[in-house]
């Protein structure tokens, strides 16, 4: 059986100030053409279909366009909700869509109920595990703790229990939206840390033939049977080196996995350039980036005059300007956003405590209280998104 594994479409998202709907539509056209040309048996979409819980109308229309085109091919599509999606909204109409071969899996209670597919070698049970926010699904799944490893482990226990009741030789695929240990992160993924821990071990997926993962935006292989497809488009300059692609996965009669990367269309290359302003303006080596979306980092000790306007003369698609002096007092003037870049909510809160107490850091008890408060706020926000 041949699957096309994709994820993290983030329909409705922009790249800095650039609207990406046209590029997202081009990707969806490419996806449909790949399904047709490569004779794909099923499409797997591992979450974050939309970029936010209440997507703009244009994003919803693009989603509708994609579903109609996939349904018209007569190829089953299995899709789960991610941490950016509103599971309840994405799941509306799932019963009707199922009749057209679009299988939306957004309810944690359905973790152990697969979409059953069949090829010449027999059945393939395809299980969809939507993003599982620990505090919100712990009781429903009977997990021992409210953390990612516990709730995903409980969901996989349901998968293995169902699989054990199926005929011998039944092959199995799981879709999941999670941060699995060993995965490489980028700046554009929303933090899902709970209790100070965000990741789960790849071993949680033991017992199934293939785990199609979403959440991390770089295409990567954790094991032969556990892979991220990554996002089809770059959503931050930290992804400048990514090769955006989907996985074309073949599952043999005995469950062996063969995977091939299928490159996604690139609307415009990304480039990060760094150095003093005058070098960025004159260096002939940078000519290859003049048609790219560019992030420029200036290292001048003193902030130059009108750097954005001057750089835009050479790089017309300049989107981001960062000041990071190599030395001197200018470093202290870095913006608040720059100083916080790459730091978690927990780290920022602990730094604030140390700052207001003249350097005395938060102790273990205070760190736990901060962690609990941050987790509670995020859970409340997710619950509010689900009912808006």
């Amino acid at each position: 059986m041949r699957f096309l594994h994709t994820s993290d479409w983030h329909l409705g998202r922009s790249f800095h100030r650039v609207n990406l709907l046209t590029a997202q539509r081009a990707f969806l056209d490419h996806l449909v053409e790949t399904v047709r040309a490569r004779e794909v048996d099923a499409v797997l979409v591992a979450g974050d279909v939309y970029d936010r819980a209440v997507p703009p109308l244009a994003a919803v229309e693009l989603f509708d366009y994609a579903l109609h085109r996939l349904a018209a091919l007569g190829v089953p599509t299995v899709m789960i909700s991610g941490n950016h999606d509103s599971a309840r909204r994405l799941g509306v109409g799932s019963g009707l869509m199922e009749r057209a071969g679009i299988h939306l899996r957004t309810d944690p209670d359905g973790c152990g109920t697969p979409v059953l597919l069949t090829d010449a070698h027999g059945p393939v049970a395809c299980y969809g595990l939507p993003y599982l926010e620990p505090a919100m699904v712990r009781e429903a799944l009977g997990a021992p703790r409210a953390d990612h490893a516990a709730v995903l482990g409980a969901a996989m226990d349901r998968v293995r229990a169902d699989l054990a009741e199926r005929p011998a030789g039944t092959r199995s695929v799981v879709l999941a939206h999670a941060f699995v240990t060993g995965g490489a992160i980028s700046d554009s993924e929303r933090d899902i840390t709970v209790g100070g821990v965000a990741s789960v071990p790849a071993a949680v997926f033991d017992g199934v033939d293939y785990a199609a993962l979403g959440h991390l935006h770089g295409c990567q292989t954790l094991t032969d049977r556990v892979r991220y497809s990554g996002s089809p488009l770059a959503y931050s300059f930290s992804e400048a080196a990514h090769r955006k692609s989907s996985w074309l996965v073949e599952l043999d009669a005995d469950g062996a996995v063969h995977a091939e990367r299928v490159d996604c269309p690139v609307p415009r290359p990304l480039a990060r350039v760094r150095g003093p302003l005058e070098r960025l303006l004159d260096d002939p080596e940078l000519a290859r980036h003049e048609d790219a979306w560019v992030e420029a980092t200036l290292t001048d000790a003193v902030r130059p005059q009108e750097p954005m306007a001057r750089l835009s003369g050479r790089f017309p698609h300049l989107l981001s300007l960062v000041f990071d002096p190599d030395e001197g007092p200018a470093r202290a003037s870095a913006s608040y956003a720059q100083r916080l870049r790459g730091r978690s909510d927990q780290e920022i809160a602990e730094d604030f405590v140390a700052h207001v107490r003249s350097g005395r850091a938060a102790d273990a008890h205070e760190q736990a209280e901060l962690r609990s408060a941050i987790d509670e706020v995020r859970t409340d926000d997710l619950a509010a998104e689900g009912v808006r």
Side-chain angles (χ1 to χ4, degrees), residues 324-346:
D324 186 22
D326 282 338
E327 57 186 13
R331 178 173 291 277
S333 65
S335 72
Y336 182 69
Q338 288 170 321
R339 294 198 302 272
L340 297 185
R341 181 174 295 169
R343 301 185 66 76
S344 68
D345 291 342
Q346 180 77 17

Side-chain angles (χ1 to χ4, degrees), residues 139-218:
E139 291 186 8
L141 292 175
R145 303 177 310 280
D147 62 39
H148 288 292
V151 298
L152 193 53
M156 282 301 302
D157 286 344
R158 292 191 179 191
V159 168
R160 285 185 282 264
D162 179 84
L163 195 56
E165 298 296 321
R166 299 201 172 271
T170 297
R171 291 158 293 162
S172 56
V173 173
V174 165
L175 288 77
H177 196 87
F179 178 18
V180 178
T181 304
I185 64 173
S186 57
D187 291 344
S188 55
E189 297 127 3
R190 182 183 291 174
D191 182 28
I192 59 171
T193 302
V194 172
V197 179
S199 64
V200 300
V204 76
F205 298 108
D206 286 354
V208 296
D209 293 310
Y210 185 72
L213 302 182
H215 180 57
L216 300 185
H217 288 181

Side-chain angles (χ1 to χ4, degrees), residues 28 50 65 77 97 117 211 224 244 353 373 380:
L28 293 172
Y50 291 121
Y65 166 80
T77 296
M97 292 183 195
L117 308 173
D224 284 344
K244 295 300 184 181
V353 170
D380 288 347

Side-chain angles (χ1 to χ4, degrees), residues 57-70:
L57 178 59
V60 177
E61 290 175 338
L62 190 54
F63 179 59
D64 182 66
Y65 166 80
L67 294 190
H68 275 84
R69 295 204 63 193
L70 288 169

Side-chain angles (χ1 to χ4, degrees), residues 278-291:
E278 294 304 325
R279 186 181 75 77
L280 299 187
L281 291 173
D282 298 333
D283 189 348
E285 287 293 317
L286 301 181
R288 58 197 172 97
H289 299 315
E290 290 175 358
D291 194 45

Side-chain angles (χ1 to χ4, degrees), residues 10-345:
H10 289 278
L11 300 181
R13 188 164 186 158
S14 60
F15 184 71
H16 291 264
R17 60 179 179 272
V18 177
N19 186 307
L20 290 179
L21 282 172
T22 299
Q24 290 174 333
R25 186 183 183 101
F27 160 69
L28 293 172
D29 288 339
H30 153 81
L31 181 141
V32 171
E33 176 57 23
T34 300
V35 170
R36 186 197 63 77
R38 302 299 297 270
E39 298 181 337
V40 169
D41 296 306
V43 177
L44 312 178
V45 186
D48 281 353
V49 175
Y50 291 121
D51 189 55
R52 53 182 186 266
V54 185
L57 178 59
V60 177
E61 290 175 338
L62 190 54
F63 179 59
D64 182 66
Y65 166 80
L67 294 190
H68 275 84
R69 295 204 63 193
L70 288 169
L73 292 175
V75 175
T77 296
V78 184
M79 184 177 296
I80 63 172
S81 50
N83 62 301
H84 279 249
D85 299 310
S86 166
R88 293 177 64 183
R89 280 189 174 81
L90 188 62
V92 170
S94 58
L96 287 173
M97 292 183 195
E98 193 140 2
R99 299 180 186 180
I102 307 294
H103 305 273
L104 289 168
R105 292 295 185 261
T106 63
D107 186 349
D109 284 341
C111 287
T113 304
V115 176
L116 290 176
L117 308 173
T118 305
D119 66 4
H121 305 294
V124 176
C126 191
Y127 300 88
L129 313 186
Y131 171 68
L132 303 171
E133 177 60 33
M136 299 177 71
V137 303
R138 174 190 175 185
E139 291 186 8
L141 292 175
R145 303 177 310 280
D147 62 39
H148 288 292
V151 298
L152 193 53
M156 282 301 302
D157 286 344
R158 292 191 179 191
V159 168
R160 285 185 282 264
D162 179 84
L163 195 56
E165 298 296 321
R166 299 201 172 271
T170 297
R171 291 158 293 162
S172 56
V173 173
V174 165
L175 288 77
H177 196 87
F179 178 18
V180 178
T181 304
I185 64 173
S186 57
D187 291 344
S188 55
E189 297 127 3
R190 182 183 291 174
D191 182 28
I192 59 171
T193 302
V194 172
V197 179
S199 64
V200 300
V204 76
F205 298 108
D206 286 354
V208 296
D209 293 310
Y210 185 72
L213 302 182
H215 180 57
L216 300 185
H217 288 181
C219 183
Q220 48 200 297
T221 301
L222 303 185
T223 74
D224 284 344
R225 298 183 183 277
V226 181
R227 299 172 187 260
Y228 282 100
S229 64
S231 61
L233 298 171
Y235 293 118
S236 72
F237 277 103
S238 66
E239 301 168 55
H242 286 188
R243 173 187 163 195
K244 295 300 184 181
S245 57
S246 304
W247 284 112
L248 189 66
V249 179
E250 290 193 1
L251 203 60
D252 285 355
D254 60 358
V257 172
H258 306 273
E260 170 192 346
R261 291 178 72 171
V262 179
D263 290 334
C264 298
V266 179
R268 190 178 297 279
L270 271 61
R272 297 176 114 171
V273 297
R274 179 185 177 90
L277 176 62
E278 294 304 325
R279 186 181 75 77
L280 299 187
L281 291 173
D282 298 333
D283 189 348
E285 287 293 317
L286 301 181
R288 58 197 172 97
H289 299 315
E290 290 175 358
D291 194 45
W293 281 322
V294 171
E295 178 183 72
T297 299
L298 297 183
T299 60
D300 303 79
V302 177
R303 186 178 298 232
Q305 290 189 348
E306 300 183 340
M308 192 76 174
R310 294 170 67 187
L311 283 167
S312 294
R314 182 177 192 187
F315 305 107
H317 305 289
L318 176 68
L319 298 182
S320 175
L321 186 61
V322 178
F323 293 94
D324 186 22
D326 282 338
E327 57 186 13
R331 178 173 291 277
S333 65
S335 72
Y336 182 69
Q338 288 170 321
R339 294 198 302 272
L340 297 185
R341 181 174 295 169
R343 301 185 66 76
S344 68
D345 291 342

